[in-house]
């Protein structure tokens, strides 16, 4: 097994429980580093509502078999067996009450009980195949009959992420779709950059849409751009150069709201009325952009056509991110090893015998909310029960 992250450890313990002799090699000084960092240190380890629709993959059916063979309920049962206290947050997300360490300890204990051997600080550099696999590493050579690639994606390079899994896939004739950062904040270089800097730390509920995909959750203004769950979710569907549309008033019909103000509270200033539904600092920025010349007029004096325009700015604010924060802060890597020639039932290569790809190295990325770990558990498990 190359990689002692979420998928690698799940696969290792599952295969070893079946009596297979398993060796996990990991280049880091610690296994499961992303587990420890995840969910703000509390690991959002799965979700009550796991569906294939929560995953992005060129073949949307690919994830179904593994997710059926090892479900969220299987992992929850394991968490409960270890007495790990957990709680549900919005949209069925499950987090540890105390610490992500508990999830890693669970996996380590299961690996220990099944006699999995783990070598850390062991970076695999080259693989060759001739009646079995030979792995060249910084600490020597290893041979094995079956090889599992669980090297993850490129996100957060300081956590041991490398592109090695992609190289292995190509070496054995697999296609690799060009990767990019996912679940990642947006950056801006136009007028909106100054807005995000001024509003840094402010969060509001909004709907963000790009390319036909939309999410309604919090957005967070930061000194680097826009973050928060809705932004991270939509970033998975964003392509460089594409615009995003933000509805800053997802719980209102903006045009009706402004018309209502004009009718019922005609003497007030628009900014004072909007302060009931949006943060004042944000209104000040929007006013500068959309109704500066009417800023001192009571709402009754703003023509209907201009009010409709302002409503459009509030409910469909079009922005063009200059980019994303990239792998430095991304939670996942989008795309990767094409699933076309990987068995969805076992994760084995259809091109190369006894070679398996699991977890994030594959062209499978989940939404925010525990879906990526569930993919790691499910894909790791099915490979673990299949290894010959
Ligand atoms: C900050 C952060 C928070 C996250 N929070 C959540 C969350 O709360 N919920 C959720 O579902 N998902 C979360 N994710 C995503 C989740 O962590 C990953 O999807 C998941 O860890 C992928 O598992 P994996 O086994 O494929 O890869 P990883 O867990 O990344 O493991 C890959 C391992 O391979 C090793 N490796 C790489 N190359 C080599 C090599 N050449 N030789 C030897 N070893 C090698 C690495 O050192 C690493 O240990 C988060 C990600 C990040 C970055």
């Amino acid at each position: 097994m190359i990689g002692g992250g979420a998928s690698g450890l799940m696969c290792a313990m599952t295969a070893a429980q079946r009596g297979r002799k398993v060796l996990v090699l990991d280049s880091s000084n610690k296994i499961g580093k992303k587990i420890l960092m995840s969910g703000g240190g509390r690991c959002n380890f799965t979700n009550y509502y796991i569906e294939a629709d929560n995953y992005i993959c060129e073949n949307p059916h690919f994830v179904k078999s593994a997710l059926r063979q090892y479900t969220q309920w299987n992992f929850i049962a394991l968490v409960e067996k270890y007495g790990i206290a957990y709680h549900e947050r919005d949209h069925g997300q499950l987090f540890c009450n105390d610490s992500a360490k508990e999830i890693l300890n669970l996996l380590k204990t299961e690996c220990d009980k099944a006699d999995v051997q783990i070598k850390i600080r062991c970076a695999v550099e080259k693989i060759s195949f001739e009646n079995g696999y030979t792995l060249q590493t910084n600490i020597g050579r290893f041979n094995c009959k079956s090889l599992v690639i669980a090297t993850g994606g490129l996100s957060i390079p300081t956590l041991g992420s490398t592109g090695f899994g992609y190289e292995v896939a190509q070496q054995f004739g697999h296609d690799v779709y060009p990767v990019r950062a996912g679940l990642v904040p947006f950056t801006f270089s136009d007028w909106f950059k100054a807005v995000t800097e001024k509003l840094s730390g402010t969060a509001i509920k909004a709907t963000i849409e790009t390319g036909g995909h939309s999410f309604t959750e919090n957005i967070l203004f930061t000194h680097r751009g826009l973050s928060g769950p809705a932004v991270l979710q939509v970033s998975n569907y964003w392509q460089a150069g594409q615009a995003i549309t933000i509805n800053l008033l997802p719980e209102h019909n903006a045009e009706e709201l402004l018309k209502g103000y004009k009718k019922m509270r005609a003497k007030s200033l628009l900014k004072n009325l909007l302060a009931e539904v949006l943060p004042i600092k944000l209104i000040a920025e929007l006013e500068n952009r959309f109704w500066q010349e009417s800023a001192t007029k009571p709402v009754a004096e703003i023509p209907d056509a201009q009010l409709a325009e302002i409503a459009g700015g509030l409910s469909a604010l079009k922005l063009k991110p200059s980019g994303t924060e990239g792998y430095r802060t991304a939670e996942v890597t989008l795309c990767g090893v094409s699933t076309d020639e990987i068995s969805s039932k076992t994760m084995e290569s259809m091109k190369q015998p006894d070679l398996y790809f699991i977890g994030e190295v594959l062209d499978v990325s989940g939404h925010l909310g525990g879906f990526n770990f569930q993919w790691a558990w499910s894909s790791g498990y099915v490979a673990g029960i299949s290894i010959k």
Side-chain angles (χ1 to χ4, degrees), residues 28-195:
S28 277
N29 58 349
K30 242 195 234 169
I31 54 168
K33 275 190 174 175
K34 277 193 189 161
I35 299 175
L36 293 177
M37 248 194 113
S38 66
R42 291 218 158 85
C43 187
N44 177 194
F45 56 82
T46 190
N47 192 295
Y48 276 142
Y49 311 110
I50 300 280
E51 300 283 346
D53 287 352
N54 297 116
Y55 293 89
I56 302 161
C57 177
E58 187 65 25
N59 171 4
H61 303 292
F62 179 79
V63 296
K64 290 180 180 170
S65 173
L67 293 176
R68 233 183 353 250
Q69 291 183 67
Y70 192 87
T71 69
Q72 66 272 43
W73 308 111
N74 293 115
F75 196 75
I76 292 167
L78 189 58
V79 166
E80 288 180 353
K81 186 175 138 194
Y82 274 74
I84 299 172
Y86 63 91
H87 61 278
E88 181 186 356
R89 293 194 196 162
D90 290 349
H91 315 295
Q93 304 174 19
L94 300 187
F95 286 78
C96 297
N97 286 1
D98 294 327
S99 166
K101 254 190 218 157
E102 294 173 291
I103 299 293
L104 183 57
N105 286 343
L106 172 165
L107 296 166
K108 275 182 176 169
T109 308
E110 288 290 316
C111 283
D112 275 354
K113 282 203 291 197
D115 281 334
V116 171
Q117 279 187 59
I118 299 176
K119 274 194 198 304
I120 54 169
R121 293 193 175 92
C122 176
V124 182
E125 289 157 355
K126 217 172 155 189
I127 296 173
S128 51
F129 176 78
E130 201 181 320
N131 298 323
Y133 295 90
T134 301
L135 277 55
Q136 205 168 297
T137 78
N138 58 324
I139 57 165
R141 280 171 188 239
F142 297 88
N143 297 307
C144 57
K145 181 184 177 299
S146 298
L147 179 61
V148 182
I149 309 299
T151 46
L154 291 175
S155 55
I156 325 256
T158 48
L159 294 184
S161 307
T162 67
F164 185 69
Y166 306 126
E167 287 169 33
V168 178
Q170 279 166 333
Q171 177 186 345
F172 290 105
H174 284 271
D175 285 337
V176 177
Y177 296 124
V179 292
R180 62 181 207 280
L183 296 180
V184 64
F186 287 131
T187 55
F188 297 86
S189 55
D190 56 9
W191 67 278
F192 200 65
K193 183 176 182 346
V195 175

Side-chain angles (χ1 to χ4, degrees), residues 6-25:
S7 64
L9 293 175
M10 172 56 84
C11 182
M13 72 187 221
T14 308
Q17 283 159 359
R18 293 172 49 234
R20 298 292 179 271
K21 201 166 164 232
V22 182
L23 172 65
V24 177
L25 304 179

Side-chain angles (χ1 to χ4, degrees), residues 267-303:
K267 290 183 184 159
S268 304
L269 293 181
L270 188 54
K271 70 172 171 200
N272 294 340
L273 295 165
L274 283 173
E276 292 168 13
V277 288
L278 287 171
I280 292 172
K281 270 188 182 171
L282 175 58
I283 298 166
E285 297 303 321
L286 294 169
E287 186 175 78
N288 284 341
R289 182 93 190 156
F290 295 114
W291 69 94
Q292 202 174 20
E293 71 286 4
S294 309
T296 53
K297 289 183 195 163
V299 66
E301 288 177 28
I302 304 180

Side-chain angles (χ1 to χ4, degrees), residues 80 128 166 217 252 266 268 282 326 339 344 347 387:
E80 288 180 353
S128 51
Y166 306 126
E217 275 185 75
H252 299 271
S268 304
L282 175 58
T339 58
S344 63
M347 302 296 134
I387 291 169

